[in-house]
Amino acid sequence: MLEAAARLPRSPIYGIGVWRSGNDFVDYEIGWDDLRRDVVWAREQLLAAGVTGDDHVLITTPNHESPWLSPVVRALRQIGATYTPAEIYGWDCARTLSVLEQMPISVVIGLSGETLAGVRAQKPDLAAVFANVKIVWARPEAHAELVGSEVNSVLMAILGPALGMASPSAPDVLRVDAAEWVIREAGGELLVSATDARTARITDVPAGVPGRVTTAEDALLIQL
């Protein structure tokens, strides 16, 4: 069935991403080649952090974040890791907590502040909740609290159309794929542009967060 499906004609683009910029919503095209490269980059970040096929991953993300997190999910499949999904909203925190308590979760990706607040309301000892988790990729509003609770948290953030993921060796510094995105500072704000490799033409869109930019050989380094 999968082979037959692969022979069917497919749409000219993988999909359309949407992010909120102030009071506006911005649409942009995502090509199949864009997706393929995003999966390669996500896989590199996961492997560098020590994620393996033996890991059971809890990934918290809503469907509308597919432009950013779908490459991560596809990378997990390639690695061979087991993954369980949950939402990022407070009303789903019971599922997140249940998964953490009843399954051998070793990696968490995308933990939000809203989810963390719901978990903390039921289980205040966050170090105990995440005792068996070797790494948590947490969004900015959750990361600082996890670090303060001595949980092995590294930063993850959506920056306009780009995804940033920190590494265990530098947990507070976001890495962004420099082959796909250009990020610069302007008046304390981060502005994101697409490189010529991307299908969408995006120039100087607000990332939605303030930060500082440095460069590395193969990545943009962002400190929020």
Side-chain angles (χ1 to χ4, degrees):
M1 182 181 295
L2 290 176
E3 291 180 1
R7 292 194 295 269
L8 293 173
R10 64 182 184 180
S11 64
I13 59 173
Y14 163 68
I16 297 176
V18 182
W19 84 90
R20 188 165 189 165
S21 179
N23 294 323
D24 298 323
F25 290 91
V26 181
D27 300 340
Y28 66 102
E29 296 176 335
I30 304 169
W32 288 101
D33 286 343
D34 298 334
L35 174 66
R36 176 185 56 79
R37 295 191 305 272
D38 289 345
V39 173
V40 170
W41 183 84
R43 186 171 183 269
E44 290 173 350
Q45 309 317 302
L46 295 173
L47 291 174
V51 178
T52 73
D54 294 329
D55 284 310
H56 191 153
V57 180
L58 170 61
I59 182 165
T60 59
T61 178
N63 286 337
H64 71 260
E65 288 184 348
S66 175
W68 300 273
L69 275 302
S70 179
V72 176
V73 171
R74 289 171 183 249
L76 289 171
R77 291 175 183 167
Q78 291 182 359
I79 292 169
T82 301
Y83 64 92
T84 298
E87 295 281 358
I88 61 171
Y89 307 111
W91 49 259
D92 202 39
C93 67
R95 173 163 49 163
T96 294
L97 187 56
S98 177
V99 170
L100 286 168
E101 291 179 335
Q102 298 184 38
M103 295 183 179
I105 299 298
S106 52
V107 177
V108 177
I109 298 175
L111 191 71
S112 72
E114 192 171 332
T115 297
L116 187 62
V119 168
R120 187 180 62 249
Q122 298 182 55
K123 300 283 185 176
D125 188 348
L126 295 179
V129 171
F130 295 96
N132 297 320
V133 179
K134 65 182 182 181
I135 183 171
V136 179
W137 270 283
R139 299 165 196 258
E141 66 274 17
H143 173 63
E145 183 171 357
L146 289 173
V147 171
S149 298
E150 299 184 347
V151 175
N152 188 19
S153 175
V154 299
L155 190 60
M156 187 197 89
I158 290 174
L159 305 170
L163 176 66
M165 298 179 71
S167 66
S169 60
D172 300 316
V173 181
L174 291 168
R175 297 179 64 87
V176 178
D177 189 351
E180 306 293 320
W181 308 105
V182 175
I183 301 180
R184 68 181 185 89
E185 302 170 45
E189 185 176 34
L190 297 177
L191 300 178
V192 184
S193 299
T195 67
D196 291 340
R198 304 296 295 189
T199 299
R201 302 273 67 86
I202 299 171
T203 303
D204 282 350
V205 299
V209 293
R212 293 185 292 112
V213 182
T214 57
T215 58
E217 182 177 342
D218 61 344
L220 289 165
L221 304 181
I222 312 295
Q223 288 189 298
L224 302 185

